[in-house]
Amino acid sequence: MNYYFSWKAEKGIDVNPGDYFETAIIADEKILPETVGRDEYNLGGMLLPEKRVAGFGRVKTYNLGNLPAGLGPIEAEPSKKVVLQEDILPKVAFRIATNIILDQGLLAQYLCLDVTRDDGTSIQIPLSRPDVAISWQSRGDYIVTAQI
């Protein structure tokens, strides 16, 4: 099945030049190389609630030139498609490395995992849900597991 995963803001997130989110999907304790993504913000501003913060499978840099006439909301570009077998889906985890949110409690308050299938159905999983586990690897480095 084809999926599109992305991280969305639950609350406004301030970004400054040099801020980044790195993402990847982990299956069978290995990072899936085609899912590695990086979103780097080379501008100051705010990522508004319900806007994409980061995606999977591509590298993007955002600056004033990315915004029409330098105006409008800042939002990460859509992720690339990820092909996952249905039987592996319950076993996947998501890696986040960032210099923006350095505490797992804040990460849970500020991010939501958006999962969309090819058929257009979508679910949003706030990281503050009790069934979401966030493993703090080091400052700004997390492994998130959630039932999809």
Side-chain angles (χ1 to χ4, degrees):
M1 174 76 65
N2 297 328
Y3 293 90
Y4 299 88
F5 297 95
S6 60
W7 296 108
K8 288 192 172 181
E10 285 281 288
K11 298 179 178 183
I13 300 172
D14 290 319
V15 291
N16 296 299
D19 284 352
Y20 67 88
F21 281 92
E22 293 177 349
T23 58
I25 296 176
I26 301 168
D28 293 327
E29 300 183 21
K30 295 178 189 152
I31 289 179
L32 302 177
E34 68 275 12
T35 67
V36 174
R38 180 178 170 95
D39 292 87
E40 185 168 339
Y41 295 91
N42 286 328
L43 65 142
M46 178 175 278
L47 299 166
L48 298 175
E50 299 184 21
K51 295 293 183 186
R52 248 184 329 274
V53 171
F56 294 82
R58 81 288 181 288
V59 175
K60 295 290 179 180
T61 300
Y62 307 99
N63 54 46
L64 288 178
N66 298 111
L67 302 174
L71 302 171
I74 303 168
E75 183 172 22
E77 294 204 11
S79 297
K80 289 197 173 180
K81 172 178 59 179
V82 176
V83 179
L84 292 175
Q85 301 301 320
E86 291 293 324
D87 61 332
I88 200 167
L89 196 56
K91 302 173 192 169
V92 298
F94 303 88
R95 180 179 177 269
I96 302 171
T98 181
N99 64 347
I100 301 171
I101 303 171
L102 304 176
D103 175 88
Q104 74 187 60
L106 292 175
L107 187 80
Q109 291 177 32
Y110 281 89
L111 289 186
C112 173
L113 178 64
D114 182 68
V115 183
T116 304
R117 292 180 178 202
D118 259 350
D119 64 7
T121 58
S122 179
I123 59 169
Q124 295 197 1
I125 304 169
L127 299 191
S128 59
R129 280 185 12 185
D131 61 334
V132 173
I134 301 173
S135 174
W136 188 65
Q137 305 298 295
S138 63
R139 193 169 160 96
D141 194 357
Y142 313 94
I143 304 293
V144 176
T145 54
Q147 291 295 332
I148 297 175

